[in-house]
Amino acid sequence: MRTFSTMTRSLLAMSDWLADLAVTRVVMESTSDYWKPPFYLLEDSFETWLVNPKDVKHLPGRPKTDRLDAVWLCKVAERQMLRPSFVPPEPIRMLRDLTRYRVDLIAARTAEKQRVEKLLEDAQIKVSVVASDIFGVSGRAMMAALIAGERDPDSLADMARGRMRNKSTQLREAFVGRFNDHHAFLLTKMLARIDQLGADIADVEERTSTQIAPFAAAVARLDEIPGIGVTAAQTIIAEVGLDMTRFPTPAHLTSWAKFAPGIKESAGRKKGNGATGHGNHYLARVLGEAAVSAGRTNTFLGERYRRIARRRGKKRAIIAVGRSILVIIWHLLGQENTPFHDLGPDYYDARVNLNRKMRNHVRELQHLGYRVTLEPVA
């Protein structure tokens, strides 16, 4: 055994040492982001595995040091007791960095907008009660006038444009407050921060469009799925990649994404509530948004969402439709010649047994207190 530091020169020396020993596979434990530098340096020379720490959990009663952990990791890997985690290739990793950073920037801009609303509430300016979006053309013009020193409610209300002009009376009442220079200073900084974040988001989106160009065909295919747009397709490709051989079946993909219920059984009794668990939250977010959007469409996915939502609730419907979307994605990305075909909103009704449908309707009427007699129409 030898010990190496995590500096680049030391890791390269370790790579040479392992090559001299004819090592073919390197296994490392996932710890925050600290696994990335050694993984990226070694992946070109060895079969590099990144494993889940839960799979190599420390056993009670066994001494624990970093050296002993390395020995234990080597033993369980040698005995084929580990599974490698999914690490996409470098182009997908670069795209993933961009799409995730875009999400973080949008969250930061949203937080800054919320600070603006709180500041206006502190100044007793109730414009957010009247306008649904205070950051539109009219809202920004009114806030700019407040910063410039305008305090007259009539003048501020006259800056409304479009449909907001119909709310002039409410706007005049909303601008009666105690906005002062202190609020103006803070509002100036907050609006500048929002504008800067907006510019950063635009730059990241432009860079993402350049980075996604080689995968434009895959984006176009995913864009055909109801509920998924270009931005959602880019995020999905960044999270799951294009190589579906990493997931032998659609069930492997849905299980990896935690869109399949967990199974826990002991002594013939099922335990737990069948929850899916916590997976990739960036992927879960975009699939959840796609499922809700698909639920508003007159498609197979839309009808599936509405059927499940009526019986099991909206949360379970989102998970179920998200899983269906993942299955579609697996087929579209794994088989280039497979076209997307919507089964249609009447898919379920066309396959319901007629006698079963009659029996269900009769039971519903009987439950309401009616005696039902069926007579076929000649």
Side-chain angles (χ1 to χ4, degrees):
M1 293 185 62
R2 291 181 58 182
T3 302
F4 296 87
S5 71
T6 56
M7 298 299 179
T8 302
R9 293 181 186 275
S10 180
L11 292 175
L12 292 176
M14 182 183 69
S15 177
D16 296 337
W17 177 62
L18 294 175
D20 294 339
L21 295 176
V23 172
T24 59
R25 179 184 297 169
V26 176
V27 182
M28 64 185 67
E29 182 179 298
S30 172
T31 306
S32 184
D33 288 336
Y34 298 113
W35 62 269
K36 292 183 178 180
F39 186 96
Y40 297 159
L41 286 172
L42 298 175
E43 66 176 340
D44 293 333
S45 304
F46 306 95
E47 181 186 1
T48 311
W49 279 20
L50 180 71
V51 299
N52 193 323
K54 293 182 179 179
D55 294 343
V56 289
K57 187 176 181 181
H58 173 70
L59 295 178
R62 182 174 65 87
K64 187 181 188 311
T65 66
D66 289 340
R67 293 172 65 91
L68 291 177
D69 284 348
V71 172
W72 176 250
L73 191 61
C74 179
K75 288 181 178 180
V76 293
E78 184 181 17
R79 295 164 186 169
Q80 303 296 321
M81 297 172 63
L82 294 176
R83 298 171 298 174
S85 299
F86 170 61
V87 180
E90 185 176 6
I92 301 298
R93 293 199 299 257
M94 295 171 63
L95 178 62
R96 176 183 287 186
D97 290 339
L98 291 170
T99 56
R100 290 185 175 184
Y101 188 50
R102 175 183 174 275
V103 171
D104 296 339
L105 287 176
I106 291 177
R109 184 176 63 178
T110 302
E112 203 67 32
K113 288 182 177 180
Q114 291 172 345
R115 293 189 185 98
V116 170
E117 293 189 10
K118 291 180 180 180
L119 180 69
L120 294 177
E121 285 290 333
D122 181 78
Q124 195 59 19
I125 302 297
K126 300 290 186 176
V127 63
S128 60
V129 177
V130 180
S132 58
D133 181 16
I134 64 173
F135 296 96
V137 175
S138 300
R140 287 301 298 261
M142 294 171 184
M143 287 188 284
L146 284 171
I147 293 172
E150 181 63 63
R151 300 291 183 267
D152 182 36
D154 294 334
S155 300
L156 293 169
D158 289 340
M159 296 179 183
R161 298 290 182 269
R163 288 181 295 179
M164 278 190 65
R165 296 192 66 87
N166 299 329
K167 303 179 181 180
S168 298
T169 303
Q170 297 95 313
L171 286 173
R172 291 188 182 91
E173 191 67 24
F175 279 111
V176 177
R178 45 182 294 275
F179 194 91
N180 53 36
D181 293 340
H182 171 72
H183 297 108
F185 172 79
L186 292 175
L187 184 59
T188 301
K189 298 300 181 183
M190 292 177 184
L191 293 179
R193 178 63 176 158
I194 291 172
D195 292 339
Q196 182 59 51
L197 286 169
D200 293 340
I201 292 170
D203 292 341
V204 171
E205 289 177 344
E206 182 179 358
R207 180 76 175 184
T208 303
S209 300
T210 303
Q211 194 73 26
I212 200 70
F215 318 126
V219 173
R221 301 186 74 191
L222 296 187
D223 189 23
E224 297 177 0
I225 303 174
I228 293 182
V230 174
T231 301
Q234 293 174 350
T235 303
I236 291 171
I237 291 176
E239 298 301 332
V240 305
L242 296 172
D243 184 13
M244 290 297 103
T245 59
R246 298 296 299 268
F247 307 101
T249 65
H252 285 78
L253 176 58
T254 57
S255 178
W256 171 81
K258 300 298 184 183
F259 268 73
I263 300 175
K264 186 178 181 181
E265 182 178 329
S266 179
R269 298 180 61 183
K270 293 183 179 181
K271 298 183 178 181
N273 56 4
T276 59
H278 301 284
N280 184 327
H281 64 274
Y282 290 97
L283 179 60
R285 177 185 308 193
V286 70
L287 288 175
E289 293 174 352
V292 173
S293 299
R296 304 189 184 103
T297 62
N298 190 31
T299 60
F300 166 76
L301 291 176
E303 182 61 22
R304 177 169 173 78
Y305 177 88
R306 291 186 289 270
R307 281 170 58 90
I308 298 176
R310 284 194 299 266
R311 296 183 291 110
R312 306 295 300 277
K314 293 183 179 180
K315 291 184 178 180
R316 291 183 183 272
I318 290 174
I319 297 297
V321 175
R323 183 187 183 283
S324 298
I325 291 175
L326 278 176
V327 172
I328 296 172
I329 290 171
W330 185 89
H331 285 286
L332 291 180
L333 295 182
Q335 306 170 22
E336 295 183 358
N337 297 326
T338 302
F340 172 75
H341 173 67
D342 183 28
L343 298 177
D346 59 344
Y347 176 82
Y348 292 105
D349 293 336
R351 283 159 178 77
V352 174
N353 183 276
L354 179 59
N355 292 329
R356 180 181 177 183
K357 183 184 293 187
M358 292 168 52
R359 184 172 62 251
N360 290 339
H361 288 314
V362 169
R363 286 177 178 175
E364 289 181 5
L365 290 172
Q366 290 175 344
H367 182 71
L368 294 175
Y370 293 93
R371 181 181 293 109
V372 180
T373 302
L374 299 180
E375 182 180 347
V377 178

